[in-house]
Amino acid sequence: MTDQFKTILLKAKLNFAILVAILVIAVLGKFTNPELTNGIFVTADQLVSELYLVFIAITLGAFIPNFKLVVLGSIAAFIGAVILIQAGIFTYLTTEYLFAVLIVVLGFASIANLYRHYRENGL
């Protein structure tokens, strides 16, 4: 492995962890509750066509230097919205829909952040 490749792998551990976590959720979900998992990932697939969501995710991943803030902020927004759903304030949203949004945002932000690391290290 070249030094540049090692540098990217070391800097982008969180990015790979997020992408692996999405893959693990998909695999484990297919074994435990395939209907729910399929519904969430179908919704996530449909959300990819909502370009504003994808652009926001890419912007977050590419232009915010501290990627941990993006991850923590996305998860905190998800938890806050789920609490509001359970409290009956957001009656038009479902937890499954929000989880699909979280998957899309974190996935695209991770890929954009990986590309930023790639560009910075000149590979």
Side-chain angles (χ1 to χ4, degrees):
M1 260 193 288
T2 65
D3 289 335
Q4 293 172 332
F5 187 62
K6 287 180 186 178
T7 303
I8 288 177
L9 287 178
L10 290 174
K11 285 185 175 182
K13 287 185 281 191
L14 181 60
N15 301 61
F16 289 119
I18 289 170
L19 295 172
V20 167
I22 292 170
L23 182 62
V24 167
I25 289 169
V27 171
L28 289 178
K30 287 293 182 180
F31 290 117
T32 58
N33 193 347
E35 294 84 18
L36 177 65
T37 304
N38 190 40
I40 289 172
F41 280 94
V42 165
T43 303
D45 183 46
Q46 292 169 350
L47 285 170
V48 172
S49 66
E50 302 291 335
L51 291 179
Y52 63 89
L53 182 63
V54 173
F55 288 149
I56 290 169
I58 290 171
T59 302
L60 288 172
F63 295 113
I64 295 182
N66 190 352
F67 189 64
K68 290 177 188 176
L69 292 177
V70 173
V71 173
L72 291 175
S74 298
I75 293 172
F78 170 74
I79 291 170
V82 168
I83 290 170
L84 293 175
I85 288 172
Q86 296 301 320
I89 295 172
F90 287 160
T91 57
Y92 52 90
L93 287 175
T94 64
T95 304
E96 292 82 15
Y97 182 79
L98 286 177
F99 193 67
V101 170
L102 181 68
I103 288 172
V104 170
V105 168
L106 287 179
F108 276 97
S110 293
I111 292 169
N113 194 264
L114 274 172
Y115 182 71
R116 185 173 65 87
H117 287 301
Y118 171 80
R119 295 284 295 173
E120 286 176 353
N121 291 302
L123 288 179

